[in-house]
Amino acid sequence: MTTTPQVNPVLRTPPASPAAAAAYFSASLAFHADASDVASVLTAAAAEGTDPGFVLVDTRSTASWDQGHVPGAVHLPTALIPERAEELLDRSVPVVTYCWGPGCNGATRAALALAERGFRVKEMLGGFEYWVREGFAYETWEGPAERAADPLTAPVDTGDCGC
């Protein structure tokens, strides 16, 4: 009786070469920023009275914006980018888009629409969901709000995850 060797599902498709992996991950970082890094830069810029070097754009509907958004973000729903991007954004300033969260590709669609119009753009990974889950302050139509950090998404005792 012969047995069929087990196929390792992780390695069924072998890893890319180190050079290909470096190119891929480098490119990924050119297109994405995470909520923690965005929060860190915005917090430092506010404390120092400096420019963060980018503008954060919430691409969701007005009802979603009212429910909660990142303080200081510009509200520009994806559907309005063709008619409003020029008046709200400066092409010389990089843009970081966000939407609801990892289950939503609205920030990706908005980033594409902005890039097609000549803006330099990144997408904030995790969106508004991870902004809130990591314990960062946000604003609603009722005013400022904040929740405790979710220990599954952010360190509870320190602001630095060590990533």
Side-chain angles (χ1 to χ4, degrees):
M1 179 165 155
T2 60
T3 58
T4 306
Q6 289 286 351
V7 176
N8 178 333
V10 173
L11 300 175
R12 181 178 299 132
T13 300
S17 71
Y24 171 84
F25 292 117
S26 177
S28 179
L29 292 172
F31 298 111
H32 301 106
D34 68 30
S36 181
D37 288 342
V38 170
S40 173
V41 171
L42 292 178
T43 299
E48 298 164 6
T50 59
D51 185 331
F54 63 88
V55 62
L56 186 61
V57 174
D58 185 314
T59 67
R60 301 170 303 147
S61 68
T62 299
S64 299
W65 168 267
D66 289 346
Q67 188 173 322
H69 59 271
V70 176
V74 171
H75 184 221
L76 179 57
T78 302
L80 298 179
I81 288 173
E83 61 191 68
R84 305 240 13 242
E86 294 293 330
E87 74 183 69
L88 295 175
L89 304 172
D90 178 345
R91 255 197 198 87
S92 69
V93 178
V95 176
V96 177
T97 62
Y98 75 89
C99 199
W100 274 113
C104 173
N105 67 1
T108 305
R109 286 193 306 273
L112 173 60
L114 289 165
E116 289 174 339
R117 284 160 180 78
F119 291 90
R120 293 177 299 144
V121 63
K122 286 188 169 198
E123 178 182 359
M124 184 174 81
L125 295 175
F128 184 67
E129 175 187 349
Y130 274 71
W131 182 273
V132 173
R133 289 183 72 188
E134 291 186 25
F136 302 122
Y138 59 98
E139 296 174 347
T140 73
W141 67 274
E142 296 175 308
E146 193 170 345
R147 294 184 183 183
D150 179 340
L152 295 176
T153 64
V156 176
D157 298 329
T158 179
D160 183 10
C161 70
C163 297

